[in-house]
């Protein structure tokens, strides 16, 4: 017979590297055609950071994302921006891009203000158009503006940005430290259906709320949450790398079972988007935080459904059955809360 | 023999019997003579250099190699090349020659259905097949159609959305304008801007390391240890060296610089030095003209070992008198992180209820769809360059410079497109051998792992054993938390020290707890090394905490949400490491999640206690339970359901 249950779990995560100075650098150049070159050692690992950085640069420089040319991932050609991990890409490099662009755009405003004879502050740009606030005639394309500055003024607009995030190392005796500057919190609810004849668990829904800071691209954030949740469904219910005397008995995907499209819950992502007050851009990150609550929410939901508490991952059908059989054979009444006992 | 190489290079020739293949591939007639043992995927990728379709497993399990043969979807890694003789083959490279992107590919782009992109060519092929078979396929039919394709990144949801969008546009139910970019707003930040790299991913145009070829390129293969712990007595490579086409054979003696590297502790040699510590450790590397010759050379190398006693259990490994795996690590302890805050013993004595439980998390494989691969070469200016999906090119460059004994500016790392990482590609486990071989031979060298090699050799998620003690007041207030965690770090440290730190710092969860005691101990064993993996130790320790809170709620007869609400950190909280936080949105996240889910408050497992049932099922955001075959039969256990849905070896005659 099938039983449904729900479980909840919270999570938190410190972003950028632990107990070390973390830093990311970029160079920016406003290029011919009103395009922008960004060089930084960023490394996309599939999460979409390159697109996010182009959105940030476009916003800061007054052009469109497709006008950005991003030099990346080559130690001989771009400044160091360190590794792709620790949920640090949008946070560290996104802020570095913003800082570099702000420096470049500040120079651009000054130069355009001088060219137009208006104050630098009144110079604005968006999506490839440049104008002076309050003037109907002082308006041109970014392409033209770059041309004018180069040809008539001999100015090439460049900038650089370095974002650092300082941490302190753990005191070896008591762990006292400031390991991260920013934290991401989260909570998830999972709904499962457990078949008590087979031990099979299906995850039907996951509702995931995370405070990701200012959001650069909601589609990519959802993508990270959905990917995390499904990876955690695998961890919770089926995945296990097994070794016997040091030799694996799960050497391929026939033995090492991964979730497929048939195993996935519907995922509802809820984004709390309050900007991070500690950083220029206000962004945080989500690559890792989203996986921290899911498996526990699923395991808690299994308990809620059938009253067995799985304490060993993964909760395979065999293990769930074993727990159910154990409980039945012990002929115990369903466990009574101890609240009555202690009151 | 070298004629074919000068012609542009075939993968194997000479020593293997060959067969002639005549086929139509992507509309063009091709005629080639290739080794008899080639599979369709080899023919397409290595012979025709059509690299859009990927090889993720070579065993029919992942679907990345899916292509059409005479209109029928096959897993081309399972089909011998002879099967396409006289047939018409369609790969992702040319799925829509006229429009650039097919409707499905455009829908994938629009919906954000590609992340690393490695599974996407196979997904697009399988989805194309599904909609060709049934243009009105339901979401469940689409799921079944994609059931033989694995995606490790996206969680499938956006892929399914994309296939549904394409279906609906095709049927006219949705206008084609749905594919357009969302209207431009006043800000590019916050927009659902479509991924700039997605067109290249959905069409298979983007190149991963294994898709790269260079003129005069050699192929690397590696002799790996069959033993978990052994002394290397003798390496006999003479027979291998004599095989024509073998260009270089490397052992640890060929490392010119300081041969010790690692993320936190430099305890790992490029190739085993005197002793092997886990099954799969690299011992000898070979670079040869073809992959087949490199494999033959590896088979001809004889390594004589003297077996040593091995440790597989971290608790045993910590005992006094256990074999020492690394000279510097007493009791095989790689890292011990301690958090001590307040007085846990006194607080436990004051608690109304003490709840104890032990939790175990397993060793997990990253299972990125792209197996490790790399291409190394020496540039004209003498700079040695490695292109590989390394997650940490900065650090790898520094380590490589030390290993090679070269200045840093003579070492260049380029991160090739990464087909999934999740932390698993932070470790530099093969780039050193590649660079050495390129320097020695003055030729480009490529190394592509098989799936089996990737699983055996790469780092895993640390398995944790967590003893948990929590003391609470009757009203649910946590007064003390004690966690003692022992993790299997495997044979080398890799990221173990960092993982122990993160598991300890974050382990007690986002809760305000005055008295905290955490021991997080990472231990060397002779198992596959453990390393970085998404949420880096916090996945394991927070899992225990969140299960434990549920157990406490059950004991206290409380709603698990209410228990959390009482204890969650709030603005101005002090963390377990005594960091002062200002803004804390933990409660807001919990409220948002339960609101979205329509959570019905109450104790866990109500029905089993004769209490009224939950009333929050069938809430928006949950799906129907899945039944194989159009929801007509009851669900069968996973083992058999899997073979039902994974197309088994398809014959295409
Ligand atoms: S490579 Fe063919 S199914 Fe995985
Ligand atoms: S996008 Fe599917 S495996 Fe990465």
């Amino acid at each position: 017979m099938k039983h449904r249950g729900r479980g909840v779990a919270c999570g938190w995560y410190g972003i950028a590297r632990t107990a070390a100075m973390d830093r990311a650098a970029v160079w920016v150049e406003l290029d011919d055609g009103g395009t922008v070159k960004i060089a930084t050692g960023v490394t996309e690992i599939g999460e979409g950071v390159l697109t996010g950085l182009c959105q940030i640069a476009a916003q800061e420089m007054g052009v469109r994302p497709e006008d950005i040319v991003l030099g990346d991932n080559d130690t001989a050609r771009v400044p160091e921006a360190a590794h792709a991990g620790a949920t640090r890409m949008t946070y560290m490099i996104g802020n570095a891009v913003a800082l570099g662009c702000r420096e470049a755009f500040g120079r651009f405003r000054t130069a355009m203000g001088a060219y137009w004879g208006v104050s630098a502050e009144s110079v604005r740009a968006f999506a490839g158009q440049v104008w002076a606030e309050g003037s109907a005639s002082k308006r041109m394309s970014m392409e033209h503006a770059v041309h004018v500055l180069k040809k008539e003024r001999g100015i090439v607009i460049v900038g650089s940005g370095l974002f650092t995030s300082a941490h302190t190392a753990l005191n070896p005796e008591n762990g006292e430290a400031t390991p991260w500057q920013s934290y991401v919190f989260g909570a998830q609810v999972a709904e499962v259906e457990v078949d008590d004849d087979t031990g099979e668990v299906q995850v039907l829904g996951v509702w995931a709320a995370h405070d990701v800071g200012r959001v650069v691209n909601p589609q990519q954030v959802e993508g990270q949450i959905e990917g995390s949740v499904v990876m955690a469904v695998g961890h919770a219910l089926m995945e296990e790398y097994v070794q016997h005397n040091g030799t694996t008995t799960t050497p391929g995907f026939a033995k090492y079972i991964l979730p497929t499209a048939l195993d996935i819950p519907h995922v509802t992502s809820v984004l709390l988007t309050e900007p991070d007050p500690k950083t220029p851009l206000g962004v945080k990150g989500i690559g890792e935080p989203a996986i921290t609550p899911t498996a526990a929410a699923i395991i808690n939901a299994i308990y809620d459904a059938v009253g067995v508490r799985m304490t060993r991952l993964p909760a395979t059908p065999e293990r769930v059955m074993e727990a159910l059989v154990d409980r039945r054979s012990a002929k115990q009444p369903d466990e009574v809360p101890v609240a009555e006992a202690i009151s | 023999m070298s004629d074919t190489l000068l012609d542009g290079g075939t993968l194997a020739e000479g020593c293997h019997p060959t067969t002639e293949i005549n086929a139509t591939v992507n509309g063009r007639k091709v005629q080639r003579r290739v080794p008899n043992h080639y599979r369709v995927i080899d023919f397409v990728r290595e012979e025709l250099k059509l690299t859009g379709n990927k090889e993720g497993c070579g065993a029919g399990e992942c679907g990345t190699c899916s292509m059409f043969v005479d209109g029928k979807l096959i897993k081309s890694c399972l089909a011998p090349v002879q099967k396409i003789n006289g047939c018409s083959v369609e790969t992702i490279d040319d799925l829509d020659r006229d429009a650039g992107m097919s409707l499905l590919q455009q829908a994938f782009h629009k919906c954000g259905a590609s992340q690393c992109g490695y599974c996407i060519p196979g997904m697009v092929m399988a989805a194309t097949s599904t909609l060709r078979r049934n243009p009105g396929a339901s979401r469940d039919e689409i799921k079944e159609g994609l059931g033989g394709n694995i995606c490790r990144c996206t969680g499938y949801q956006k892929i399914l959305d994309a296939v549904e969008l394409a279906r609906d546009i095709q049927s006219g139910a949705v206008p084609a304008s749905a594919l357009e970019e969302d209207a431009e707003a006043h800000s590019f930040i916050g927009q659902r801007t479509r991924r700039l790299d997605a067109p290249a991913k959905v069409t298979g145009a983007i190149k991963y390391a294994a898709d790269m070829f260079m003129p005069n390129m050699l192929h690397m293969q590696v002799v790996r240890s069959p033993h978990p712990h052994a002394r290397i007595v003798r390496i006999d490579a003479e027979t291998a060296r004599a095989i024509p086409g073998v260009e270089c054979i490397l052992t640890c003696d060929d490392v010119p610089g300081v041969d010790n590297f690692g993320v936190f502790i430099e305890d790992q040699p490029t190739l085993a030095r005197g002793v092997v510590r886990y099954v799969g450790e690299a011992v000898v590397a070979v670079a040869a003209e073809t992959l087949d010759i490199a494999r033959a050379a590896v088979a001809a190398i004889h390594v004589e070992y003297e077996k040593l006693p091995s440790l597989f259990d971290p608790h045993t490994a910590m005992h006094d008198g256990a074999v020492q795996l690394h000279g510097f690590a007493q009791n095989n302890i790689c890292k011990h992180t301690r958090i001590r805050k307040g007085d846990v013993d006194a607080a436990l004595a004051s608690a109304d209820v003490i709840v104890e439980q032990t939790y175990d998390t397993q060793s997990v494989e990253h299972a990125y769809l792209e197996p490790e691969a790399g291409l190394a070469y020496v540039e004209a200016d003498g700079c040695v360059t490695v292109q590989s999906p390394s997650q940490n090119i900065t650090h790898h460059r520094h380590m490589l410079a030390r290993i090679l004994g070269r200045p840093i500016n003579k070492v260049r790392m380029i991160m090739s497109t990464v087909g999934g990482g999740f932390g698993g590609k932070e470790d530099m486990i093969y780039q050193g051998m590649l660079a050495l071989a390129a320097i020695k031979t003055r030729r480009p060298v490529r190394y592509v792992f098989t799936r089996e090699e990737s699983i055996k050799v790469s780092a895993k998620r640390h398995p944790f054993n967590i003893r948990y003690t929590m003391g609470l007041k009757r009203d649910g207030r946590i007064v003390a938390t004690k966690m003692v965690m022992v993790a299997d770090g495997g044979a080398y440290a890799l990221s173990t020290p960092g993982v122990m730190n993160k598991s300890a710092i974050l382990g007690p969860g986002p809760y305000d707890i005055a008295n905290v005691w955490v021991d997080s101990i990472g231990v060397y064993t002779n198992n596959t090394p453990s390393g970085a993996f998404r949420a880096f130790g916090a996945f394991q320790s927070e899992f225990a905490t969140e299960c434990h809170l549920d157990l406490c709620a059950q004991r206290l007869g409380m709603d698990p949400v209410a228990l959390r609400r009482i204890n969650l950190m709030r603005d101005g909280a002090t963390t377990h490491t005594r960091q002062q936080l200002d803004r804390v949105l933990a409660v807001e996240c919990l409220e948002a999640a339960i609101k979205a889910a329509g959570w019905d408050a109450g104790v866990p497992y109500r029905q089993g206690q004769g209490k009224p049932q939950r009333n929050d099922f069938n809430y928006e955001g949950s799906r129907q339970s899945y039944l194989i075959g159009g929801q007509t039969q009851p669900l069968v256990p996973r083992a058999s359901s899997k073979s039902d849905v994974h197309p088994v070896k398809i014959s295409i005659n």
Side-chain angles (χ1 to χ4, degrees):
Chain A
M1 203 176 131
K2 293 175 177 181
H3 303 271
R4 283 215 249 170
R6 282 181 156 209
V8 66
C10 296
W12 67 326
Y13 207 73
I15 56 174
R17 293 191 292 201
T18 326
M21 172 68 85
D22 198 357
R23 57 177 182 239
V26 312
W27 305 326
V28 179
E29 182 190 337
L30 190 50
D31 199 1
D32 292 356
T35 61
V36 177
K37 258 188 266 182
I38 306 274
T40 175
V42 66
T43 42
E44 161 91 50
I45 66 164
E47 79 281 46
V49 68
L50 297 184
T51 306
L53 294 181
C54 289
Q55 290 175 253
I56 293 168
Q59 184 69 29
E60 298 284 347
M61 295 299 291
V63 298
R64 294 160 307 183
E66 57 267 34
D67 298 328
I68 308 293
V69 175
L70 204 87
D72 64 338
N73 74 14
D74 181 344
T75 59
R77 305 282 181 263
V78 294
E80 182 197 332
H83 80 304
T87 312
R88 60 180 291 284
M89 302 296 277
T90 311
Y91 181 74
M92 295 299 302
I93 304 167
N95 277 304
V97 165
L99 291 173
C101 288
R102 282 173 197 181
E103 184 176 286
F105 194 69
R107 293 198 176 131
F108 173 76
R109 282 178 124 180
T110 305
M112 280 311 286
Y115 176 76
W116 270 331
V118 299
S119 75
E121 291 68 51
S122 66
V123 177
R124 298 255 187 279
F126 183 71
Q129 288 297 312
V130 188
W131 67 96
E133 199 99 292
S135 158
S137 58
K138 292 183 170 54
R139 183 174 197 98
M140 62 175 71
S141 69
M142 183 62 92
E143 178 174 6
H144 192 186
V146 170
H147 176 74
V148 158
L149 290 185
K150 279 190 176 175
K151 186 160 182 253
E152 296 181 24
R153 301 270 156 148
I155 298 173
V156 176
I157 300 292
V158 294
S160 67
L162 176 73
F163 185 70
T164 58
S165 177
H167 317 274
T168 63
L170 267 66
N171 176 326
E173 301 303 319
N174 62 10
E176 209 170 320
T178 299
W180 299 286
Q181 194 168 286
S182 294
Y183 289 79
V184 174
F185 293 86
Q188 296 183 5
V189 172
E191 181 171 327
V192 302
E193 182 180 81
V194 184
D195 186 332
D196 66 5
D197 297 320
T198 63
E200 185 93 7
V201 178
Q202 287 191 50
V203 186
L204 305 180
V206 170
W207 294 264
H210 296 272
D211 79 310
V212 295
R214 183 180 182 193
V215 171
V216 177
N217 188 321
Q219 191 176 60
Q220 308 298 343
V221 174
E222 289 161 16
Q224 287 298 301
I225 294 175
E226 291 162 14
S228 284
V229 163
V230 168
M231 187 180 267
V233 166
H235 287 20
L237 301 178
M238 58 193 88
E239 291 180 37
E240 184 163 21
Y241 176 76
V242 184
Q243 293 173 89
H244 180 68
N245 289 340
T247 301
T248 184
T249 57
T250 51
F253 293 151
K255 290 279 172 58
Y256 188 89
I257 305 298
L258 292 160
T260 71
L262 299 169
D263 301 302
I264 61 164
H266 188 273
V267 179
T268 305
S269 303
V270 185
L271 311 185
L272 282 78
T273 61
E274 187 177 300
D276 179 24
K278 289 212 164 60
T279 58
L281 201 55
V283 297
K284 293 210 267 193
I286 189 63
E288 295 170 279
I291 201 177
T292 58
T294 322
I298 292 169
I299 296 296
N300 291 341
I302 294 175
Y303 177 81
D304 188 50
V306 291
V308 295
R309 197 159 283 289
M310 307 304 296
T311 57
R312 174 181 290 271
L313 292 182
T316 56
E318 297 74 29
R319 287 187 183 152
V320 172
M321 265 327 281
E322 203 180 313
L324 283 164
V325 168
D326 280 358
R327 211 197 57 188
R328 282 176 206 150
S329 66
K331 295 216 170 24
Q332 279 169 357
D334 291 320
E335 210 171 336
V336 177
V338 295
E340 289 128 55
I342 58 171
S343 53
Chain B
M1 174 164 169
S2 53
D3 284 358
T4 37
L5 284 170
L6 292 175
D7 286 348
T10 57
L11 188 65
E13 84 300 327
C15 42
H16 290 280
T18 56
T19 183
E20 182 156 306
I21 300 298
N22 283 284
T24 304
V25 180
N26 293 337
R28 289 177 207 96
K29 289 225 178 303
V30 295
Q31 181 181 26
R32 297 291 162 97
R33 181 161 277 286
V34 295
N36 256 343
H37 62 78
Y38 260 30
R39 305 158 300 162
V40 174
I41 184 91
D42 301 323
F43 184 78
V44 168
R45 285 178 53 86
E46 302 297 333
E47 184 62 39
L48 303 181
K49 307 277 189 279
L50 292 170
T51 55
N53 276 100
K54 314 299 175 194
E55 178 167 349
C57 71
E61 300 289 335
C62 74
T64 56
C65 66
S66 304
M67 53 182 79
F68 289 111
V69 174
D70 282 348
K72 189 168 169 188
L73 188 73
I74 66 149
K75 290 188 169 167
S76 63
C77 68
L78 293 177
V81 66
Q82 291 80 358
K83 295 279 188 187
I84 59 167
N85 234 335
C87 296
S88 163
V89 178
E90 207 180 341
T91 75
I92 187 79
D93 304 86
D94 242 9
L95 201 58
D96 194 333
R97 224 165 305 148
D98 306 322
M101 277 199 275
S102 70
L103 174 58
L104 250 167
Q105 287 167 324
Q106 294 176 57
F108 268 63
H109 184 23
K110 168 71 185 178
C111 294
S114 69
Q115 289 190 16
C116 82
Y118 206 80
C119 71
I120 296 300
M123 283 289 177
V124 168
M125 297 304 275
T128 303
S129 166
T130 304
L131 291 188
R132 279 185 191 171
R133 210 167 44 230
N134 179 7
S138 68
R139 193 162 174 110
D140 275 350
E141 283 170 76
I142 294 167
K143 280 186 186 175
E144 282 178 25
L146 302 182
N149 292 60
I150 296 168
C151 175
R152 190 56 152 169
C153 302
T154 66
Y156 303 99
Q157 190 151 305
K158 296 212 178 318
I159 292 176
L160 299 173
D161 292 346
V163 183
E164 285 196 303
L165 177 62
R167 175 199 65 199
D168 293 344
I169 290 174
Q170 202 171 36
S171 74
V174 165
S177 61
L179 290 171
E180 288 163 14
E181 185 94 49
D182 291 346
E184 216 166 80
H186 58 286
S187 168
F188 292 110
I189 298 182
Q191 282 270 92
R192 301 176 83 83
T193 303
R194 290 183 296 189
R195 286 179 66 124
L196 301 165
D197 59 357
K201 287 181 171 174
V202 300
T203 58
I206 210 162
K207 298 281 183 231
Y208 300 83
D211 301 331
M212 296 178 187
F213 301 88
M214 281 182 93
N216 208 25
M217 182 177 87
L218 298 171
H219 298 262
M220 177 170 276
Q221 288 290 283
V222 172
V223 178
R224 298 187 173 279
S225 167
H227 304 297
H229 196 197
R231 197 180 317 287
I232 298 170
V233 178
R234 206 168 63 91
I235 297 174
D236 177 2
E238 286 325 301
T239 322
R241 216 179 291 278
I243 298 175
V246 171
E247 282 289 298
C248 93
I249 294 181
L250 300 169
T251 67
C252 63
D253 295 336
D254 295 294
V255 177
V258 184
D259 191 17
N260 264 323
F261 66 95
V263 183
F264 291 84
I265 299 174
E266 282 155 357
D267 62 358
Q268 195 169 8
T270 308
L271 288 149
R273 187 170 289 273
V275 56
V276 288
R277 295 185 176 89
Y278 75 100
V279 173
E281 183 164 356
V283 180
V284 187
V286 175
E289 297 286 353
T290 71
L291 190 57
D292 284 323
I293 296 172
R295 286 197 178 123
V298 159
I301 292 172
H302 297 290
V303 183
E304 198 181 307
Y305 298 95
E306 176 196 330
K307 286 198 216 171
L308 298 170
S310 311
L311 293 166
F312 303 116
D313 173 56
H315 290 95
T316 314
M318 283 192 293
H319 281 164
D320 289 339
V323 188
Q324 291 292 289
L325 300 186
H326 294 273
F328 54 86
Q330 223 199 329
N331 287 39
N332 294 311
I333 292 174
C334 174
K335 173 75 179 176
H336 183 170
T337 304
R338 299 171 180 84
I339 311 274
R340 305 283 185 264
K341 183 179 152 197
D343 185 341
V344 167
D345 290 333
L348 285 176
S350 77
D352 292 327
V353 56
I354 294 174
V355 181
E356 291 181 279
Q357 182 60 259
T358 301
Y359 302 90
D360 291 283
T361 66
Q362 78 277 43
S363 180
V364 185
E365 159 64 19
H366 295 83
Y368 27 71
L369 267 275
E370 178 208 22
E372 289 77 357
L375 176 62
Y377 48 92
V378 180
E379 288 176 277
D381 65 358
C383 184
V384 60
T385 301
V386 180
Q387 294 202 45
S388 68
S390 300
Q391 270 177 258
N392 198 340
I393 50 173
T394 303
H395 187 226
H396 288 188
R397 181 198 197 197
H398 285 87
M399 289 194 293
L400 202 52
R402 251 166 63 95
I403 290 167
L404 301 177
R406 293 179 155 224
I408 282 179
N409 70 343
K410 290 294 172 199
V411 176
R412 178 180 179 196
M413 302 288 300
I414 300 174
M415 182 161 164
S416 52
T417 307
V418 185
F422 317 113
K425 290 173 179 166
E426 287 196 5
D427 308 306
M428 198 181 76
I429 53 177
Y430 57 98
Q431 291 86 342
M433 305 178 224
L434 273 172
L436 282 172
I439 291 168
K440 257 197 135 173
T441 61
R442 295 272 144 189
R443 292 173 65 174
V445 186
R446 192 180 79 179
Y447 182 23
V448 181
F449 280 38
T450 62
R451 174 56 56 186
E452 286 66 29
E453 199 172 14
S454 171
I455 291 183
K456 183 159 85 172
V457 171
S458 68
K460 303 291 167 269
R461 188 187 282 291
H462 288 75
F464 270 60
N465 171 267
I466 304 171
R467 275 191 289 128
Y468 217 115
T469 308
M470 188 179 270
L472 303 98
K473 289 292 190 192
R474 198 158 303 163
D475 63 4
R477 186 83 222 162
I478 303 168
V479 295
T481 280
K482 184 169 183 176
M483 303 176 79
V484 178
M485 311 192 270
V486 176
D488 185 351
Y492 293 99
L494 306 183
S495 289
T496 297
V499 169
M500 293 306 110
N501 278 349
K502 213 156 197 171
S503 65
I505 301 167
L506 296 166
Y511 303 102
D512 208 338
I513 307 167
N515 304 288
V516 177
W517 172 298
V518 183
D519 281 321
S520 187
I521 305 169
V523 187
Y524 284 117
T525 65
N526 295 111
N527 290 323
T528 312
S530 305
F533 200 146
R534 195 177 212 166
F536 212 73
F539 171 84
Q540 296 93 319
S541 57
E542 292 190 41
F543 165 76
T545 296
E546 294 300 319
C547 289
H548 203 69
L549 280 179
D550 210 63
L551 179 58
C552 293
Q554 169 201 335
R555 293 283 166 82
L556 292 167
M558 281 180 79
D559 172 22
V561 167
L563 177 64
R564 286 172 171 82
R565 208 180 264 134
I566 291 169
N567 291 290
L568 277 172
M569 290 179 182
R570 289 173 164 76
D571 289 352
T574 305
T575 68
H576 318 301
T577 61
R578 285 177 251 198
Q579 178 178 351
Q580 200 75 35
L581 302 182
D582 35 27
R583 191 77 175 114
V584 176
L585 291 167
V587 176
E588 286 80 353
C589 286
L590 179 63
E591 301 300 344
I594 64 167
K595 179 165 177 260
W599 179 267
D600 178 24
V603 295
Y605 191 42
R606 273 163 252 180
Q607 71 250 46
Q609 302 173 48
K611 299 204 163 104
Q613 280 256 20
R614 312 187 68 105
N615 65 15
D616 50 6
F617 297 136
N618 302 316
Y619 199 77
E620 191 186 332
S622 98
R623 64 164 168 89
Q624 292 299 303
S625 63
Y626 183 76
L627 303 167
I628 295 282
Q631 316 238 344
T632 49
Q633 305 147 7
L635 190 82
V636 283
R638 188 180 166 82
S640 51
S641 72
K642 206 163 154 72
S643 58
D644 280 347
V645 298
H646 278 247
V648 271
K649 311 197 178 194
I650 299 166
S651 70
I652 46 158
N653 27 7

